[in-house]
Amino acid sequence: MTTLDLVVRSAERVAEGVVALTLSRPDGADLPEWTAGAHIDLVLDDDLVRQYSLCGRQDEPASWRVAVLEAPDSRGGSKRVHQLRAGHTVRARGPRNHFPVVPATRYLFLGGGIGITPLLAMIREVAGTEWELYYGGRQRESMAFVAELAGYGERVHVVPEDENGLLDLGTILGTPQPGTLVYACGPEPMLRAVEEKCAAWPPGSLHLERFSAAPSSEDGHSFEIVLEESGQTLVVPPGKSIFETVRAAGVSVLGSCLEGICGTCETEVLDGEIDHRDSVLDGDERAAGEVMMICVSRCAGKRLRLAL
């Protein structure tokens, strides 16, 4: 994974509580290529790493743009980002994409609050295709990039809650539309409602990206993990993750969010039944059983064999 020390070229307030950072190399050289839906890690301290979707333009290869909401319940990440100013440096890793745009005849985009960020790049990528965006937020002043989206005309529906109420997902998603893919990003209550409304849609229609981990079941039973490359067999007890267990045994593994939403700890599974608890893999990837996110996912049986 590429790690870069970047310069903040601008820190622009784009809505109430939202700052957009434009980042580039110190020498202005091109950055690694990315695709719509990709995110980067910002390494804000040794133990403070956060993921933010790239929302800039792919035809501007020397810069990356992210937009960050300063959350009132922030654990430190968004507050640190909002302290950055032009000229500051920040370490970045990536990009990675677990939310790619799949070819389709039509797209329906659903954004909630700062969840609009990955959708901006997607809209540009599918410019020649039929698409529609519904963008909800608490109030217009807190909804980023509304002016930018206005250029798309009637394809974009901006729905501030204090003016129009919540997005009417029952109407928007009530009738399954074959050939249409739904891309949604936003707060967890919205995404759970979208999942419920899309249950009757053709398989594979819905694509989600979460800000935080989806609700998960209890940690359950203990199980063994066989580490193929290091030759160790370890026991993962209830209440402790595979990631924590492997790290404690001195095996080097990469991790970032530790909530199953960023994909950094993706690990190849050689044998065993997986209890997937992440918010990264889609249904087909889970059914294949070839990889797992070891920060949250567990073993559904007694033993897993991992390529570690």
Side-chain angles (χ1 to χ4, degrees):
M1 187 189 314
T2 304
T3 300
L4 300 166
D5 288 319
L6 302 180
V7 176
V8 178
R9 297 300 182 188
S10 67
E12 177 190 4
R13 185 178 181 274
V14 292
E16 186 177 299
V18 180
V19 65
L21 301 182
T22 300
L23 309 171
S24 67
R25 295 181 190 264
D27 62 2
D30 287 354
L31 291 163
E33 294 182 356
W34 58 281
T35 53
H39 69 263
I40 58 173
D41 298 341
L42 290 187
V43 183
L44 303 166
D45 208 338
D46 290 342
D47 59 350
L48 186 60
V49 181
R50 295 292 183 267
Q51 296 74 43
Y52 300 109
S53 296
L54 290 168
C55 59
R57 301 184 64 92
Q58 291 167 268
D59 58 3
E60 296 177 353
S63 65
W64 284 341
R65 181 175 70 163
V66 297
V68 180
L69 170 69
E70 185 173 10
D73 57 349
S74 168
R75 293 172 297 162
S78 68
K79 290 184 183 298
R80 188 71 60 85
V81 170
H82 275 247
Q83 293 168 357
L84 294 173
R85 297 291 182 268
H88 287 175
T89 60
V90 64
R91 180 159 292 178
R93 296 196 305 232
R96 293 189 305 276
N97 197 344
H98 294 286
F99 193 41
V101 178
V102 178
T105 56
R106 183 177 182 273
Y107 298 90
L108 179 58
F109 298 108
L110 304 173
I114 200 63
I116 191 62
T117 50
L119 306 184
L120 289 175
M122 291 182 176
I123 286 169
R124 296 190 195 100
E125 187 160 304
V126 304
T129 310
E130 184 181 353
W131 61 269
E132 198 169 14
L133 166 68
Y134 288 86
Y135 177 19
R138 288 196 177 95
Q139 54 190 17
R140 191 175 297 270
E141 293 77 12
S142 66
M143 297 172 70
F145 307 114
V146 168
E148 182 176 325
L149 289 166
Y152 293 109
E154 294 182 355
R155 293 187 179 201
V156 173
H157 309 274
V158 176
V159 186
E161 185 179 345
D162 62 345
E163 297 176 23
N164 307 107
L166 296 171
L167 290 176
D168 186 358
L169 296 176
T171 298
I172 297 168
L173 300 171
T175 303
Q177 301 172 36
T180 296
L181 294 185
V182 179
Y183 279 81
C185 184
E188 185 59 30
M190 170 191 150
L191 296 185
R192 287 201 300 270
V194 170
E195 286 179 311
E196 178 184 333
K197 300 301 181 185
C198 283
W201 283 56
S205 297
L206 178 59
H207 299 257
L208 297 177
E209 184 167 67
R210 286 183 153 91
F211 300 149
S212 57
S216 181
S217 53
E218 294 299 319
D219 287 346
H221 65 286
S222 63
F223 55 92
E224 285 188 344
I225 51 172
V226 178
L227 309 185
E228 189 75 7
E229 295 177 11
S230 64
Q232 298 186 63
T233 297
L234 307 172
V235 175
V236 181
K240 195 169 185 179
S241 69
I242 296 176
F243 183 91
E244 292 171 317
T245 302
V246 169
R247 271 277 181 91
V251 178
S252 177
V253 285
L254 281 178
S256 181
C257 72
L258 304 185
E259 294 184 336
I261 60 175
C262 76
T264 304
C265 68
E266 181 176 311
T267 299
E268 183 182 358
V269 178
L270 303 175
D271 189 45
E273 187 178 354
I274 308 164
D275 176 8
H276 289 289
R277 302 185 179 193
D278 65 277
S279 300
V280 175
L281 301 176
D282 62 26
D284 290 341
E285 291 168 325
R286 291 183 174 208
E290 296 175 351
V291 296
M292 69 185 298
M293 305 303 152
I294 60 172
C295 65
V296 291
S297 296
R298 302 181 68 79
C299 179
K302 296 182 178 180
R303 174 179 290 197
L304 287 171
R305 189 159 60 95
L306 306 176
L308 290 173

